[in-house]
């Protein structure tokens, strides 16, 4: 198995705002960054017998503040698990282990939605001798602003130190390449001495080249006397919330500790005109009390996360080691691209369409992401669909087909995609009629199957019936319109989109039969069977099936076909999927299979869906291997991209998107 080199490694992954990664192979080669690529600086230093070493981040923040850094403690390894990233550093004297851990455990929504991430460390002696140690960690105030010309205030709480803008500017802006600029960034570190230092303070701590290691944290003021109550632009010295702890490591007695970083966003989203809070607040718990509990819970939560990591990796290893690595890398990215809130008596699990247009609750982002949640927590899919059903039934949405989204993050006030002006008037040409109707019906069908409960479909029957009727009128041969691959532009007679409509009608028919309406259900299934037979003839091009019905020289990945197998619909002849897979094998490039005949770019989620079309393990493993190689050789360092070229491993645009939940589909295929 070839070396696995992710394009970026997750460090602090809570939600679309509190979301920090390492964009380098070694943790000390670059400043940690928000998933968008903007700096979210963190610093980690270890003093061993009076000499400072660096293991996390870069200390210089600007040319004006540049000074010689201490040497790096050599990174020896890194391991990515579903809920944690582990590093190991060594020199001749000591070994340092550092673990970044966010407990995104989907069986405990209060825990999963707590905006707390842990940094654990352990220093062990290597040479059999005791060593005097000091560990220093900080997180920059950049994590509390959108741009560094914004100002923050610093203060202490009962359990932490914090900085931020409080309620200033809360839920006032929306967009894609944006970071949070309200609320409070917290650092809680029991047993450590808290400090608030800027670059100048760290310069004094480390000294110049001739004096490196001559100072200790104890010799410097903690910064509170200068900063408490004042307001400071982040770029003025780049202040940070920090802490340090001194001690000894001896044989059999390692030096260990844990630091919590957390974010109080006060209100998380605006949901149809009203502020919505994170799920952990649903019973009225205060932030200070929650943070104190999170600190106390560390050992128990860490054990639970370890058991989940073992379970997920054991599931993935049944398919292969490379697949296990891909899923371990994708897990936190997928979950943390959402925000779990509770409003109006129901949950919302709202995605951000990262590095695309910033839409919130996008249906054709939910659709590819659901395999992860079907496997480990189907009820969260209800939280993805609830906002769409509410919007569609609210009177503002005038079309007979399903909406695309419910706003732009963090403002979930109604669709923005394809809409114009302050009134958000939606143009028909900018919509995805067949796409979103099919997505909603198939998502509900999958949810009901994996929950083994038809209640959700029954509760939304009227709306689903309307969308099914729309597909019955328009879905067989779709007119010129967008599909989820909207970056490729409008297209008429899309064969893959037709497959989606056919399977959605079959799925709705099966749901109706399950709800006791056998006659109507059989009617939908009859239509689906008739259309599937016609599709097989109209789309056939000798050794494959076409991209569009009229164009014989075209082809495409028929990823929508996967639901025929996973939902036990059995509408299409099995030879369709087998013929497609045989053809895809001829189309492999070094880094995967193109999405269709128009370009050599691909989508990671759709490639993996084709790997679940049949039981062809050879083809599945080839897809997994090509994707692993693409990550290793990608031209840009960003969180797991899902849209890239296949001749050369070149990123197109997308990054850090929840659609990588689609990679988990092979787990569903083997259940």
């Amino acid at each position: 198995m070839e070396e696995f080199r992710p394009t970026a490694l997750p460090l602090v992954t809570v939600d679309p705002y509190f979301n920090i990664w390492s964009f380098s192979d070694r943790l000390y080669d670059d400043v940690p960054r928000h998933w968008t690529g903007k700096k979210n600086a963190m610093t980690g230093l270890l003093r061993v017998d009076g000499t400072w070493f660096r293991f996390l981040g870069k200390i210089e923040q600007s040319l004006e503040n540049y000074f010689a850094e201490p040497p790096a403690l050599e990174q020896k390894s890194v391991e990515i698990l579903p809920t944690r990233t582990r590093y190991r550093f060594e020199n001749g004297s000591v070994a340092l282990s550092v673990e970044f851990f966010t407990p995104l455990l989907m069986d405990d929504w209060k825990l999963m939605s707590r905006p707390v991430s842990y940094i654990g460390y352990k220093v062990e002696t290597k040479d059999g001798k005791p060593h005097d140690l000091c560990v220093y960690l900080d997180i920059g105030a950049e994590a509390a602003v959108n741009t560094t010309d914004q100002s923050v205030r610093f203060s202490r709480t009962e359990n932490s130190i914090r900085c931020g803008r409080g309620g200033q500017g809360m839920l006032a802006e929306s967009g894609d390449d944006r970071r949070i600029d309200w609320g409070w960034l917290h650092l809680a570190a029991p047993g450590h001495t808290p400090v608030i230092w800027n670059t100048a303070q760290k310069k004094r701590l480390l000294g110049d080249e001739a004096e490196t290691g001559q100072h200790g944290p104890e010799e410097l003021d903690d910064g509170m006397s200068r900063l408490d109550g004042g307001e400071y632009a982040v770029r003025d010295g780049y202040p940070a919330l920090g802490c340090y702890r001194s001690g000894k490591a001896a044989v059999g007695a390692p030096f260990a500790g844990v630091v919590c970083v957390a974010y109080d966003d006060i209100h998380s989203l605006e949901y149809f005109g009203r502020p919505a809070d994170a799920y952990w607040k649903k019973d009225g718990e205060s932030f200070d009390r929650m943070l104190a509990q999170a600190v106390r819970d560390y050992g128990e939560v860490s054990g639970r996360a370890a058991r989940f990591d073992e379970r997920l990796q054991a599931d993935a290893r049944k398919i292969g080691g490379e697949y296990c690595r891909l899923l371990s890398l994708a897990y936190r990215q997928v979950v943390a691209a959402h925000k779990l809130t509770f409003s109006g008596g129901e949950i919302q699990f709202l995605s951000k369409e990262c590095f695309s247009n910033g839409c919130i609750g996008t249906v054709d982002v939910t659709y590819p992401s659901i395999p992860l949640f079907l496997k480990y927590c189907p009820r969260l899919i209800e939280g993805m669909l609830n906002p769409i059903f509410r919007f569609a039934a609210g009177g503002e949405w005038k079309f007979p087909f399903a909406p695309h989204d419910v706003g732009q993050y963090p403002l979930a006030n109604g669709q923005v995609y394809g809409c114009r002006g302050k009134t958000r008037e939606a143009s028909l040409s900018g919509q995805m009629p067949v796409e979103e109707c099919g997505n909603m019906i198939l998502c509900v069908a999958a949810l009901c199957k994996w929950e083994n409960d038809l209640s959700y479909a029954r509760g939304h029957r009227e709306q689903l019936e309307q969308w099914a009727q729309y597909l019955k009128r328009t879905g067989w041969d779709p007119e010129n319109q967008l599909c989820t691959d909207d970056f490729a532009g409008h297209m008429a007679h899309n064969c893959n989109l037709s497959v989606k409509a056919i399977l959605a009608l079959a799925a709705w028919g099966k749901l109706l039969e399950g709800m006791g309406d056998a006659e109507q259900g059989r009617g939908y299934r009859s239509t689906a069977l008739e259309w599937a037979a016609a599709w097989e003839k109209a789309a056939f091009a000798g050794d494959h099936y076409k991209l569009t019905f009229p164009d014989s020289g075209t082809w495409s990945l028929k990823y929508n076909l996967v639901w025929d197998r996973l939902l036990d619909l059995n509408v299409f002849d099995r030879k369709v999927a087998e013929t497609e897979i045989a053809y895809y094998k001829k189309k492999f490039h070094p880094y995967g299979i193109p999405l269709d005949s128009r370009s050599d770019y691909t989508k990671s989620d759709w490639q993996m869906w084709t790997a679940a079309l049949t039981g062809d393990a050879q083809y599945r493993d080839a897809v997994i291997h090509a994707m692993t190689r693409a990550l290793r050789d990608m031209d840009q360092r960003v969180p797991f991209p899902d849209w890239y070229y296949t001749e050369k491993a070149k990123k197109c645009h997308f990054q850090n998107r929840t659609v990588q939940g689609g990679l988990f589909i092979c787990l569903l295929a083997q259940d």
Side-chain angles (χ1 to χ4, degrees), residues 150-154 164-165 168 227-233 236:
Q150 292 177 303
S151 298
V152 295
R153 289 172 287 139
F154 295 84
R165 304 178 74 230
Q168 183 181 352
L227 296 175
D228 196 5
E231 192 165 310
Y232 301 87
D236 184 14

Side-chain angles (χ1 to χ4, degrees), residues 448 451 453-460 515:
C448 290
E451 284 192 324
D453 185 354
L454 298 176
S455 299
Y456 197 79
R458 190 174 286 114
H460 296 284
M515 290 187 283

Side-chain angles (χ1 to χ4, degrees), residues 29-44:
D29 281 345
D30 189 22
V31 176
R33 298 175 181 273
H34 187 258
W35 66 261
T36 58
K38 298 297 190 298
K39 291 182 179 179
N40 270 188
M42 302 175 76
T43 306

Side-chain angles (χ1 to χ4, degrees), residues 255-331:
F255 180 64
V258 63
V259 173
C260 295
V261 292
Y263 207 100
D264 179 6
D265 61 11
I266 307 174
H267 296 307
S268 299
L269 307 170
E270 188 169 277
Y271 190 61
F272 296 106
R274 295 185 177 182
D277 293 338
Y279 184 86
W280 67 266
K281 290 185 178 182
K282 69 182 292 287
D283 297 321
E285 189 174 15
S286 71
F287 186 88
D288 286 343
R289 183 176 178 183
M290 178 277 298
L291 182 56
Q293 185 65 46
V295 171
R296 291 192 296 270
D297 284 350
Y298 172 69
E300 185 263 337
V301 168
S302 181
R304 288 171 59 189
R307 291 189 290 275
F308 174 76
D309 289 348
E310 290 169 3
R311 174 192 170 193
L312 190 156
Q313 292 197 312
D315 290 340
R317 286 194 187 101
K318 293 175 184 176
I319 291 174
E322 288 187 327
Y323 190 57
C324 180
R325 287 173 163 181
L326 290 175
L327 298 196
S328 296
L329 176 63
Y331 180 81

Side-chain angles (χ1 to χ4, degrees), residues 31-298:
V31 176
R33 298 175 181 273
H34 187 258
W35 66 261
T36 58
K38 298 297 190 298
K39 291 182 179 179
N40 270 188
M42 302 175 76
T43 306
L45 303 170
L46 174 65
R47 189 178 65 186
V48 181
D49 299 327
T51 300
W52 285 105
F53 297 91
R54 177 172 50 89
F55 62 87
L56 165 61
K58 302 281 285 183
I59 297 173
E60 70 270 18
Q61 297 284 2
S62 69
L63 293 175
E64 290 78 16
N65 287 323
Y66 180 82
F67 61 95
E69 294 184 300
L73 191 65
E74 185 180 1
Q75 181 177 310
K76 291 294 188 178
S77 66
V78 61
E79 180 183 18
I80 301 172
L81 303 170
T83 65
R84 63 196 72 207
T85 302
R86 290 174 171 164
Y87 291 89
R88 185 173 177 86
F89 308 86
E90 295 181 6
N91 64 11
S93 302
V94 298
L96 166 67
S97 301
V98 180
E99 178 178 273
F100 295 86
F101 164 44
T102 307
L104 299 177
L105 301 178
M106 291 185 283
D107 63 347
D108 186 338
W109 291 353
K110 281 197 170 182
L111 174 63
M112 185 183 86
S113 64
R114 285 197 317 207
V116 179
S117 196
Y118 301 95
I119 307 170
Y121 63 84
K122 181 171 70 173
V123 188
E124 301 170 282
T125 183
K126 273 189 63 185
D127 58 6
K129 301 175 183 178
H131 296 283
D132 292 320
L133 305 171
C134 181
V135 173
Y136 171 84
L137 282 161
D138 71 31
I139 181 168
E142 291 160 317
V145 294
N146 179 43
T147 56
T148 58
D149 59 338
Q150 292 177 303
S151 298
V152 295
R153 289 172 287 139
F154 295 84
S155 58
R156 293 183 189 270
T157 72
E158 182 179 351
N159 301 304
S160 65
I161 53 177
R162 70 178 188 174
C163 70
R165 304 178 74 230
Q168 183 181 352
M170 183 168 54
L171 298 172
E173 303 272 351
S174 67
D176 183 21
D177 189 3
R178 287 190 60 85
R179 289 137 299 281
I180 196 167
D181 57 0
W182 73 88
W184 300 97
L185 172 68
H186 288 252
L187 186 147
H192 297 67
T193 300
V195 294
I196 299 174
W197 282 345
N198 60 17
T199 304
Q201 290 291 106
K202 282 184 273 192
K203 181 177 181 179
R204 288 182 59 201
L205 171 68
L206 297 167
D208 58 30
E209 291 186 72
E211 299 176 330
T212 297
Q214 297 305 305
H215 299 290
E218 303 85 352
E219 300 174 81
L220 305 175
D221 70 84
D222 65 7
M224 291 303 301
S225 59
R226 294 176 290 106
L227 296 175
D228 196 5
E231 192 165 310
Y232 301 87
V234 170
R235 67 185 179 191
D236 184 14
Y238 293 91
L241 304 175
C243 63
Y244 65 88
R245 178 165 166 255
S246 300
K248 290 181 179 292
V251 177
F255 180 64
V258 63
V259 173
C260 295
V261 292
Y263 207 100
D264 179 6
D265 61 11
I266 307 174
H267 296 307
S268 299
L269 307 170
E270 188 169 277
Y271 190 61
F272 296 106
R274 295 185 177 182
D277 293 338
Y279 184 86
W280 67 266
K281 290 185 178 182
K282 69 182 292 287
D283 297 321
E285 189 174 15
S286 71
F287 186 88
D288 286 343
R289 183 176 178 183
M290 178 277 298
L291 182 56
Q293 185 65 46
V295 171
R296 291 192 296 270
D297 284 350
Y298 172 69

Side-chain angles (χ1 to χ4, degrees), residues 66 179 271 295 310 336 341 348 458 466 493 517 588 612 663:
Y66 180 82
R179 289 137 299 281
Y271 190 61
V295 171
E310 290 169 3
T341 59
Q348 300 85 41
R458 190 174 286 114
Q466 176 184 321
H493 316 298
D517 195 337
F588 257 100
L663 303 185

